[in-house]
Amino acid sequence: MTHDEQAEREEALVQRVVDSFAGAPDARLRQLTQAAVRHLHAFLREVRLTEAEWKQGIDFLTAVGHTTDERRQEFILLSDTLGASMQTITVNNPADGDATEATVFGPFFVEDSPRIEHGGDIAMGAPGQPCWVEGTVRDTAGAPVAGARIEVWEADEDGFYDVQYADGRTTGRAHLFTDDEGRYSFWGITPTPYPIPHDGPVGAMLAATGRSPMRASHLHFMVTAEGLRTLVTHIFVRGDELLASDSVFGVKESLVKDFVEHGADDPTPDGRDLGGRAWSSTRFDVVLGRG
Ligand code: BEZ
Ligand code: FE
């Protein structure tokens, strides 16, 4: 068979499969399935996938499924490490004026976090260097947003979120509301790097391809306010050497913030006694896009 005849056979098969979805009554479902088939076949044909590789791929996806349960979502981790989560966020959050950029949600958000007042402490005993965080929430016209709900969550300095411990603790997370001038402030802990869960098939994929599971140091935010676009994002630490190699591609330059180091003798913004410990501070001014 000539090269052209082989290509014709392959193309005819792609067309037959695409056509098999032509009668889907839902137009969007038709578009999604037909495009997925076209891209999948383009991949198979481009790399000339061997049958052994096809089997390996099936075994990999089967392992991803077996690793997934109510506590562990290995498929989302796969999406994250392939940049698919970040691409979906990018597609769905077009620039709106100077609205703050979004990034990955991650698996460690928990509903019903404790409420704190301004200047409260989200660490609640989590180990780490105290970090003062303050800022404002505004809309794209520059008006302060009062009563915006700010959810914050972060790993401790050992690299674990509270939900990764078996003892049911609630640490390193809380929510608070902006005041009448759109301001907020709280004590957290200075973010430190940690690895995404890498003891499963996604971790094996990273190891086999020479990639690191480490995430750049970050502090998660979710900001919601009536009539405005919900923002799911994090802030990163300027100078962190992992900024360029974050394992889930979550870093955006606009989200990299200065974390200023303060000595133990520096007075704290709210007069809090830190028991002789050094601390850091940062500022994150949020702009919410239109809803
Ligand atoms: C996180 O930042 O918490 C996270 C994001 C994606 C995958 C794993 C963890
Ligand atoms: Fe995280």
Side-chain angles (χ1 to χ4, degrees), residues 56-84:
Q56 248 185 310
I58 296 291
D59 288 346
F60 174 72
L61 291 175
T62 304
V64 171
H66 285 156
T67 308
T68 298
D69 59 23
E70 313 77 57
R71 290 172 62 89
R72 171 87 175 250
Q73 232 302 357
E74 195 76 356
F75 275 109
I76 295 184
L77 213 53
L78 179 59
S79 163
D80 292 344
T81 51
L82 294 179

Side-chain angles (χ1 to χ4, degrees), residues 56 81 83 104-105 119 181 183 207 211 247 270:
Q56 248 185 310
T81 51
V104 281
F105 197 37
E181 283 159 70
R183 292 175 305 200
R211 285 180 50 188
S247 55
D270 60 347

Side-chain angles (χ1 to χ4, degrees), residues 77 80 106-108 161 194 196 215 218 220 248:
L77 213 53
D80 292 344
F108 299 121
Y161 286 82
Y194 69 86
I196 61 169
R215 287 227 58 202
H218 61 273
H220 292 261
V248 301

